Amino acid sequence: MSAQTLSSEESEWDGARFGREESTGVVFGLDFLQVLFLGIGMVIAVVFVIAGGFPGGTLAAAGTVAVFGGLGIPRVFGKSFLKWVQVFVVSLSRRRTGQNEYMPEEEGIDVAIGDDGVQLLPELDVIDPPRRSEDTPRDKKGRIAPLKPARLMLPGEFGELLVYQMPGGSAFAYDPTAKEGVVVAQISTHKAFGLESFDNQEARLRAWAEAEATIAGIDGVLRVQMSDQTTIVSGAAVLDHYDQEVNNAQVAEDPDTGEKVHQAGEAIDPFLHQSLVDMLSAAEGQPVHGMWMSIVLSQTKLAKRIHSSGRGIRGFMETALVAMGAIESALPESGTEVVRWHSPRSLAALVRSAFDPASSVEISERGDDGVDVSAAGPMWAKDSLATFSSEGALHRTFKISEFPRSQAQLGFLSGFIFSGDFRHTVSVYMKPRDIGKALKTNERSRATWGTNETIRQKLGKQKTRRNDRQIEDLDQEEEELVRGHAALKMTILITVSAFSEEEMDANISQLKTSAARANCELRVMYGQQDSAFMASATPLGRLSV
């Protein structure tokens, strides 16, 4: 214990902490909408004084200032009161017009592929892409010859995604509206981070930071989604995985019989082996952790490279294959590796199980067969202010709005990942930023704080420790950028699923306990539950919250 404490004190991560939630604003922490609203109130107050005189006009002006100030200044859960009014108005409007409820349409849009890539036409019969055995071909010049894609039937704006199959069987999800492409990797960690020594944890964290910088530096990467989903799978599927691991174990010769046996399972401990087999055979489902990494690429930023690689969708796919190779080589040092790149059917399986958690056991029994792409979306979904409902399940998505306020411990997010044996997904988003632009933004923020402090002093306002900490955060950010750290904007979302309000309350209670232990603050994504669910629980990299 003392040795670990000493290592921690001598660690380069000693004293590491996260910045507070930004509240720089335009002036005094007020955003543009607040400043505009208060400005309008001041103008109306001045008109009352001029037109009404004293005392009537003055009283009317005082009342106006009180009303506008009461509505325009307060901030609730990180948002101004005015923005919350917008959220409630939009939510109410969607409910009145029925836009918060979704049922899939029978018809889709067609996609015809010409020499230059993809051309969208009005109508389409939605079909499933080929399986791995029917690999995507290349023409005589070695260029990818894209086959007809399938459309993901999803709610609202998310229904524009088209799924292609690339050479090798990997899925390529293309958004023709946002001009983005998404590839999804199944990842695994081959070491138990929490069981390693402090020095080894540091080494892995250092390697992971380097991997993050490498991935962020890949041309065209817009966002990276890394998710860990606790779900329920078939006990038979777990047993099959166990048998596969036993068969892949090292083989040794028995000195007594001369027989070659695998050094795992029954050969190590017959009693424990049989107990595990009996338990898995009797269990309907077992909680497991599925991990994926989604890479979102920008067609606009990669326009030149796409053009030189064959143009259109084929050029975009070629560029994605290069990025996938770079990611595979960047991860292993951190103890993480790409197990495989999801195929169209396995990608559809992840999406389907997100909307319908009850189908997770059935889907897991299918293995690599997955789900038809056209059947990945929900048959029914409904969005409300605090929940998102689909296929009889309830989902609520939270955002980690405040990270540890004191010393951040290595691996503190594990408390959320292992917060309980219930369906939940923890998704970490990294959005790469240009170093130069990040430094300029930092400089503007510090200048704004300097101006605010000058005005505060002139008005005789007391200096607060909270303001000092936010200035320290900006200084720390500048120092890290100058030292060469990757400029990343981090967002962490957590989706909790249940099949009743009582179950949801119990699951959320466990999650909040984990948040308290990690010294983090959770915030419900009120009014954004549909887009927050898509960003957190599905592997499509669609961060719009």
Side-chain angles (χ1 to χ4, degrees):
M1 183 70 176
S2 59
Q4 182 171 347
T5 304
L6 179 61
S7 298
S8 177
E9 291 176 353
E10 297 175 353
S11 167
E12 63 182 288
W13 309 104
D14 188 45
R17 59 181 176 81
F18 290 86
R20 305 299 90 190
E21 187 175 28
E22 294 183 7
S23 62
T24 305
V26 178
V27 61
F28 290 143
L30 303 177
D31 59 34
F32 178 77
L33 182 60
Q34 288 176 291
V35 172
L36 179 63
F37 184 77
L38 292 174
I40 292 174
M42 292 301 296
V43 170
I44 295 175
V46 170
V47 171
F48 276 137
V49 171
I50 295 175
F54 182 85
T58 303
L59 292 175
T64 301
V65 170
V67 171
F68 274 78
L71 295 176
I73 295 178
R75 297 179 70 88
V76 182
F77 298 130
K79 288 184 181 179
S80 67
F81 186 78
L82 298 175
K83 288 189 176 180
W84 281 117
V85 171
Q86 284 185 317
V87 168
F88 281 99
V89 169
V90 171
S91 179
L92 181 61
S93 175
R94 291 183 63 190
R95 266 182 298 194
R96 285 184 173 179
T97 58
Q99 295 181 20
N100 66 323
E101 193 166 355
Y102 166 81
M103 295 184 67
E105 299 177 0
E106 296 182 359
E107 296 183 353
I109 56 172
D110 197 3
V111 179
I113 302 172
D115 294 335
D116 295 337
V118 177
Q119 181 181 2
L120 299 179
L121 299 177
E123 299 293 335
L124 166 67
D125 293 328
V126 178
I127 63 171
D128 191 44
R131 296 173 183 253
R132 285 180 179 271
S133 58
E134 304 169 9
D135 203 359
T136 301
R138 292 181 179 269
D139 59 22
K140 294 180 179 180
K141 296 182 179 180
R143 301 177 303 178
I144 297 175
L147 299 173
K148 197 171 186 179
R151 174 181 168 185
L152 280 170
M153 308 296 289
L154 300 176
E157 62 180 298
F158 308 108
E160 299 298 327
L161 288 173
L162 307 173
V163 180
Y164 292 85
Q165 180 171 290
M166 296 191 290
S170 302
F172 182 77
Y174 176 64
D175 185 341
T177 302
K179 304 296 182 185
E180 296 175 358
V182 184
V183 290
V184 182
Q186 178 186 340
I187 60 175
S188 69
T189 54
H190 54 77
K191 297 178 181 179
F193 183 86
L195 299 178
E196 292 189 330
S197 67
F198 187 84
D199 291 341
N200 288 340
Q201 287 183 346
E202 279 192 310
R204 285 185 62 181
L205 183 58
R206 196 177 300 110
W208 177 250
E210 293 174 356
E212 283 184 338
T214 300
I215 296 173
I218 297 175
D219 289 341
V221 172
L222 282 180
R223 294 180 297 278
V224 179
Q225 175 192 0
M226 296 167 293
S227 300
D228 184 294
Q229 185 174 78
T230 302
T231 188
I232 305 299
V233 301
S234 168
V238 179
L239 184 57
D240 289 342
H241 177 74
Y242 173 69
D243 290 338
Q244 183 180 355
E245 290 297 316
V246 170
N247 293 330
N248 292 335
Q250 184 178 359
V251 177
E253 184 175 327
D254 190 320
D256 298 327
T257 63
E259 182 184 0
K260 292 185 178 181
V261 295
H262 293 281
Q263 294 300 293
E266 189 174 10
I268 300 297
D269 192 320
F271 176 76
L272 289 179
H273 166 77
Q274 190 58 45
S275 298
L276 178 62
V277 170
D278 292 342
M279 181 188 69
L280 293 177
S281 299
E284 179 181 350
Q286 289 286 321
V288 298
H289 291 268
M291 293 180 285
W292 68 74
M293 173 184 288
S294 303
I295 311 297
V296 183
L297 302 171
S298 169
Q299 185 179 21
T300 303
K301 292 185 176 181
L302 293 169
K304 291 183 179 179
R305 185 171 296 182
I306 291 172
H307 188 273
S308 63
S309 299
R311 296 187 296 178
I313 198 67
R314 63 161 58 98
F316 204 176
M317 287 185 186
E318 291 284 11
T319 306
L321 288 172
V322 173
M324 290 158 63
I327 291 167
E328 286 181 8
S329 62
L331 292 177
E333 289 295 325
S334 65
T336 305
E337 63 181 358
V338 174
V339 177
R340 62 166 176 163
W341 292 93
H342 278 288
S343 68
R345 293 186 70 91
S346 63
L347 176 64
L350 288 177
V351 176
R352 179 62 193 169
S353 62
F355 285 102
D356 185 11
S359 68
S360 296
V361 173
E362 178 186 353
I363 291 174
S364 69
E365 292 175 342
R366 299 180 185 178
D368 291 338
D369 288 339
V371 172
D372 188 291
V373 174
S374 61
M379 295 303 296
W380 175 83
K382 187 175 182 180
D383 175 48
S384 64
L385 192 64
T387 59
F388 179 77
S389 306
S390 63
E391 311 291 64
L394 297 174
H395 315 276
R396 183 167 298 166
T397 302
F398 298 80
K399 176 183 179 181
I400 296 184
S401 56
E402 290 284 3
F403 292 97
R405 296 176 174 83
S406 57
Q407 167 73 37
Q409 302 298 320
L410 302 185
F412 71 91
L413 282 179
S414 62
F416 294 101
I417 295 172
F418 301 104
S419 58
D421 291 338
F422 57 91
R423 174 75 177 218
H424 64 284
T425 309
V426 180
S427 290
V428 179
Y429 274 88
M430 298 189 309
K431 185 176 181 180
R433 298 186 296 164
D434 178 79
I435 292 289
K437 292 182 179 179
L439 285 170
K440 288 183 179 179
T441 300
N442 178 275
E443 184 179 349
R444 285 196 300 269
S445 296
R446 286 189 292 113
T448 300
W449 269 114
T451 302
N452 290 346
E453 282 301 308
T454 301
I455 297 175
R456 284 177 184 276
Q457 291 177 5
K458 291 182 177 180
L459 295 177
K461 287 199 170 186
Q462 186 176 1
K463 195 174 184 180
T464 64
R465 181 55 184 159
R466 180 173 179 271
N467 292 341
D468 291 341
R469 282 294 299 271
Q470 290 182 333
I471 296 173
E472 291 173 9
D473 291 339
L474 292 172
D475 291 338
Q476 178 181 329
E477 180 188 39
E478 182 189 28
E479 177 64 24
E480 291 173 350
L481 292 172
V482 170
R483 290 206 322 251
H485 287 267
L488 300 172
K489 184 176 181 181
M490 308 290 289
T491 302
I492 302 181
L493 301 171
I494 303 173
T495 295
V496 177
S497 301
F499 295 98
S500 67
E501 290 288 351
E502 293 76 14
E503 183 183 354
M504 175 66 75
D505 291 340
N507 294 346
I508 290 176
S509 177
Q510 293 185 59
L511 182 68
K512 289 184 175 180
T513 300
S514 299
R517 290 173 180 170
N519 201 14
C520 294
E521 179 183 300
L522 291 177
R523 182 174 297 161
V524 179
M525 300 299 291
Y526 289 110
Q528 297 176 288
Q529 284 295 312
D530 54 347
S531 54
F533 170 83
M534 291 296 298
S536 176
T538 71
L540 302 175
R542 307 283 293 182
L543 184 64
S544 56
V545 294

